[in-house]
Amino acid sequence: DTAVSQTPKYLVTQMGNDKSIKCEQNLGHDTMYWYKQDSKKFLKIMFSYNNKELIINETVPNRFSPKSPDKAHLNLHINSLELGDSAVYFCASSQVVAGEITYNEQFFGPGTRLTVL
Amino acid sequence: SQQGEEDPQALSIQEGENATMNCSYKTSINNLQWYRQNSGRGLVHLILIRSNEREKHSGRLRVTLDTSKKSSSLLITASRAADTASYFCATDRASGSRLTFGEGTQLTVNP
């Protein structure tokens, strides 16, 4: 009964390759996020989707492209991987209701540790 | 510096002692949340305090919020070795907006 799941958990690849990370949530939430956590544990938001619509798009290289086929899934595709992309990528979800006060408690997946060689 | 800065960066205490971590932020907020991250795992939500609240309790956790000083503290009472983790504060400026995370406090509770 995993709430937010990500695959793969570990990803080791060569520079220049293209890779994807998948995320699924079974909480019925309407908003999903991708975060990047660097080696110093600093967590930064990359993207957010609300009901399959992109609502947050931080200053991220356009080699990163999120895709949300439905509101339970948010995938992250990375083209032409670079050494600096090595990090742990976290997917998260929350329930955000427009027009009402929400708590925006976010539920995180276990993370995908990406190593680019 | 980042919205949401925790101090200390690292804290080491003995089991049974209390642990206090602080978070400061720069802009006005809607809510402030605290999360825990165990090594190699995702973040887990601990507690949320709204901007019009001053104190909140949940089990062994006590959170305070001082909006005039733009700061919050997380107190863990009677700490246990299992409390060893990184603790992050996160703020959002409006309902449903992005969360901005601090840099975290690494807490080590020695048995």
Side-chain angles (χ1 to χ4, degrees), chain A residues 9 35 37 40-43 45 56 58 90 96-97 100-106 108-110, chain B residues 2 31 33 35 37 40-43 45 48 50 86 88 92 95-99 101 103 106:
Chain A
K9 187 167 174 60
Y35 288 89
Q37 187 174 46
K40 294 184 180 177
K41 292 196 173 180
F42 182 62
L43 198 68
I45 190 163
I56 295 174
E58 287 296 290
F90 286 99
V96 175
V97 180
E100 297 180 22
I101 297 175
T102 65
Y103 291 102
N104 201 20
E105 171 189 344
Q106 296 191 8
F108 282 77
Chain B
Q2 302 292 333
N31 300 316
Q33 304 180 39
Y35 287 79
Q37 184 180 30
R41 310 287 291 273
L43 279 73
H45 180 264
L48 178 148
R50 298 167 95 172
S86 293
F88 295 87
D92 68 50
S95 176
S97 74
R98 71 194 66 192
L99 286 183
F101 284 83
E103 297 170 355
Q106 172 61 49

Side-chain angles (χ1 to χ4, degrees), chain A residues 50-98:
Chain A
N50 177 265
N51 283 319
K52 302 196 300 175
E53 183 182 338
L54 182 65
I55 57 170
I56 295 174
N57 185 355
E58 287 296 290
T59 308
V60 175
N62 58 14
R63 298 182 294 103
F64 290 79
S65 53
K67 280 190 173 50
S68 182
D70 56 62
K71 72 175 192 177
H73 296 84
L74 180 62
N75 304 322
L76 183 65
H77 188 75
I78 315 170
N79 289 328
S80 304
L81 278 155
E82 300 177 357
L83 293 177
D85 298 332
S86 295
V88 182
Y89 292 83
F90 286 99
C91 176
S93 73
S94 69
Q95 182 62 29
V96 175
V97 180

